[in-house]
Amino acid sequence: MKTINQVDGFSKERFLQVVKRFWVLNQKKWLIGFAGGVGILILIYLLNSTQPTGYGNSGYAVLGVGLTLYKFGGYFLTSGIFNELGKKSSASQMLTLPASTLEKFLAGWFLTYFLYTIVVMGLLYLIGLFLEVNPILTTPPFSESTVDASDFYFLDTLLTYTALHSVFFLGSIYFDGNHFLKTLLAIVLFFIGLGIISVIFTILIANDFNFSYQFVHSPENMLFSVVFGKIAVAALFLFLSYRQLQNRQIA
C-alpha cells in the first residue's frame, strides 16, 4: 500500500491526493453536468442550423451559450466543492484529512477554476474549430461567412468567472447546505444594497465632486478598471475563503 511521506510545509503528494478525493466524490455529478451541457449545445446547433441565417450564426449561438454554461455551470460545481463541511456525517472526515488547510484550499481551487477552465475552454475551442468560429482568440474570423470571434467577449467571460467563482468558493465553505442558492441570494442582496447606496451617493454627494469626464469615459481606463476590479474581487474572496477554511479547521 502506497504511503505519503509526511513533510513540513506544502506537499505535492498530499495535494494530489486531496484533488483525487474531490474528484471521486463529485465525478458523477460533474460528468452528468458536462453531458447535459454538451447536449444543450448540440440542441442549440441543430435548432439554429435549420434557420435560413446560415452556418455561421449557428456557431455564434452555440459558442455564446457555451460561454454562458461555462460560467453558471462552474458556479454550481464550485458551490458544492466543500459541501462535506455542512454535513455532520462527513464534516469530521473532511476536517481530519491528513492534509494542511492550504492543500485542501488549493485542491478545491485547482479543480473548480483552473482544471475546469482548461477543460471547458478546450472543448469550446474544438467546437469552434469545427464550426469555423474561434471562441478564444480575438482574431479575424476564419472566413467571411463566420461570426467575428470578438463578439464572444472571451476576456470578459473569463474575468467574470474569475471574480464570481471566488464568491461561490467562499459560499461553499461558509454556508451549511444549499450553498449555491444561499450564495446567489447573498450576491443579489449585496447588489441591491450597493444600488441603494449608489443612488443615495449620487443624489447627496456626487454633485459636489468634479469628476474628470475624460478619465471616466476613456476606453483604456474603463477596461483597466474592470480588469483590476474583478481581479481584486477574486483575490479578496479567495483570501476570505482560505481564512474561513482555517477557522472551520480550528473549530
Side-chain angles (χ1 to χ4, degrees):
M1 182 177 177
K2 182 180 179 181
T3 59
I4 301 177
N5 295 328
Q6 298 299 316
V7 297
D8 295 331
F10 181 81
S11 169
K12 184 175 70 174
E13 289 184 334
R14 291 197 301 259
F15 164 76
L16 293 176
Q17 287 297 319
V18 178
V19 170
K20 182 179 179 180
R21 183 177 186 274
F22 278 142
W23 165 249
V24 170
L25 292 175
N26 295 279
Q27 60 178 332
K28 184 177 180 179
K29 178 176 64 177
W30 292 355
L31 290 175
I32 291 175
F34 273 103
V38 171
I40 292 174
L41 295 184
I42 293 175
L43 180 61
I44 294 296
Y45 171 75
L46 293 176
L47 291 175
N48 281 273
S49 61
T50 59
Q51 301 298 318
T53 51
Y55 188 73
N57 284 337
S58 295
Y60 180 88
V62 168
L63 294 178
V65 172
L67 288 177
T68 300
L69 291 176
Y70 158 72
K71 290 189 293 184
F72 289 96
Y75 302 151
F76 181 77
L77 297 180
T78 301
S79 65
I81 191 64
F82 288 105
N83 60 357
E84 292 177 272
L85 294 175
K87 301 177 182 178
K88 293 182 179 179
S89 60
S90 58
S92 59
Q93 299 176 15
M94 178 66 188
L95 295 174
T96 57
L97 280 177
S100 67
T101 302
L102 179 61
E103 290 158 357
K104 297 174 186 177
F105 170 83
L106 290 179
W109 178 88
F110 177 79
L111 269 179
T112 60
Y113 180 82
F114 183 79
L115 190 59
Y116 173 77
T117 296
I118 295 296
V119 171
V120 175
M121 287 304 177
L123 179 61
L124 288 178
Y125 184 76
L126 293 177
I127 293 174
L129 291 178
F130 176 75
L131 299 179
E132 296 183 341
V133 178
N134 190 337
I136 295 182
L137 301 177
T138 52
T139 56
F142 292 120
S143 66
E144 293 182 357
S145 62
T146 60
V147 179
D148 191 340
S150 62
D151 289 339
F152 291 111
Y153 304 107
F154 167 76
L155 178 61
D156 182 65
T157 298
L158 183 61
L159 287 173
T160 300
Y161 181 70
T162 300
L164 288 181
H165 164 270
S166 63
V167 178
F168 282 93
F169 197 76
L170 174 61
S172 178
I173 302 171
Y174 184 81
F175 294 115
D176 292 332
N178 298 317
H179 306 85
F180 179 80
L181 293 178
K182 290 180 179 179
T183 305
L184 189 62
L185 178 61
I187 294 174
V188 171
L189 293 177
F190 170 79
F191 278 106
I192 290 176
L194 184 63
I196 294 174
I197 293 175
S198 299
V199 171
I200 296 175
F201 177 82
T202 301
I203 295 175
L204 300 179
I205 303 176
N207 292 331
D208 296 332
F209 289 85
N210 183 22
F211 292 102
S212 173
Y213 179 88
Q214 292 182 350
F215 178 83
V216 173
H217 292 81
S218 170
E220 294 80 8
N221 291 331
M222 291 181 66
L223 177 61
F224 173 79
S225 299
V226 170
V227 172
F228 178 80
K230 291 184 177 181
I231 292 177
V233 168
L236 172 63
F237 278 90
L238 287 176
F239 171 75
L240 294 176
S241 299
Y242 177 71
R243 294 293 298 170
Q244 180 64 21
L245 188 59
Q246 271 188 325
N247 293 336
R248 299 202 68 164
Q249 187 76 37
I250 296 173

